[in-house]
Amino acid sequence: MPVALLPDRALVTVTGPESAALLQGVLTCNVETLQAGEARLGALLAPQGKILFDFLISRIPDGFRLDTAIDRAADLAKRLTLYRLRAQVAISVDPTVAVAAAWAGASPAAESDTVADARHVDLSARIYAVEGAFSADASEAEYHRRRIALAVPEGGRDYAYGDAFPHEALLDQLGGVDFKKGCYVGQEVVSRMQHRGTARTRILAARYTGEAPPPGTEITVGGKGLGTTGSAADDRGLALVRLDRLADALTAGATPLAGDRPVTFEKPAYATFAMPEAAGSPAA
């Protein structure tokens, strides 16, 4: 019953009678359909459509909590406050609650609040509790090893904030974007990419020959840039890759290199976008 504390995560709470209306109008995900006991992926974008903040959002009795990177939490609260205007909403970072991940049938303490991680069934659950209410029997590294094996990206590790579109970060594949709910910040750009199919860069699962290179290593093929590496564990990792250039490399029979290490790419098992193949082969 593995439970791993995630000290790099923090909670931003958004409470009050108009909290749902505020968040519905600015976030990529649909908070009105969010079920009790569910933690759904979402993001707050720049008007140009790039991800400024990502998080797992879940309901609390008087509003919502956003489980986000600890070094982004204060800025997320500040950005949401800019959109609050005169709405009856309170926004704050909650320093009293610890964040943990649980999987494989973990049974958290009764004092904790457990919600299902909607990104992937094999990520199981998030646990929120006052620090010390439960003990961890797995490490943060074990959690990320599992996340990487499932090819579930995370902001700040697999893509840079302010530099990636939701499609590039697979938010469209992991339930982090609702294409039917209406307007939100950056919605026009995201909708255009969806309907025109113009996302030419995607995060893919990477497998290296030997140990994975450090995050941020340039991936090249034939001396041309193909992408950059993200988080990794052992010989597996995630990478942000230009699909059109990968298609050209496969057609030419060239081997991509992450630094000086050969690397191959796979589409995440949950993904529905077309994966490049060599010319003459059907797209996956």
Side-chain angles (χ1 to χ4, degrees), residues 72-86:
R72 306 286 294 173
D75 286 342
L76 173 56
K78 183 177 180 179
R79 180 60 67 109
L80 289 171
T81 299
L82 292 176
Y83 291 116
R84 181 183 61 185
L85 300 177
R86 297 182 179 180

Side-chain angles (χ1 to χ4, degrees), residues 81-168:
T81 299
L82 292 176
Y83 291 116
R84 181 183 61 185
L85 300 177
R86 297 182 179 180
Q88 297 181 55
V89 175
I91 301 167
S92 64
V93 178
D94 187 344
T96 68
V97 177
V99 179
W103 60 92
S107 299
E111 296 84 358
S112 64
D113 185 6
T114 304
V115 292
D117 188 334
R119 293 176 298 174
H120 197 292
V121 64
D122 289 332
L123 286 178
S124 297
R126 294 294 252 221
I127 305 173
Y128 306 117
V130 175
E131 194 163 353
F134 58 85
S135 59
D137 54 5
S139 67
E140 184 182 10
E142 287 177 279
Y143 162 74
H144 285 294
R145 183 174 288 108
R146 186 176 185 86
R147 177 184 62 78
I148 291 164
L150 297 170
V152 175
E154 205 169 86
R157 296 177 181 272
D158 301 301
Y159 55 90
Y161 293 113
D163 194 48
F165 293 104
H167 285 79
E168 295 175 335

Side-chain angles (χ1 to χ4, degrees), residues 169-187:
L170 306 188
L171 267 70
D172 64 314
Q173 304 291 306
L174 291 163
V177 180
D178 189 301
F179 293 101
K180 298 179 180 179
K181 75 165 191 164
C183 294
Y184 53 87
V185 179
Q187 180 262 341

Side-chain angles (χ1 to χ4, degrees), residues 9-14 23 27 55-58 64-68 73 76 80 128:
R9 306 293 292 184
L11 298 182
V12 174
T13 60
V14 182
L23 296 179
L27 304 185
F55 42 78
L56 291 174
I57 183 171
S58 55
F64 302 85
R65 66 188 155 208
L66 283 66
D67 169 347
T68 193
L76 173 56
L80 289 171
Y128 306 117

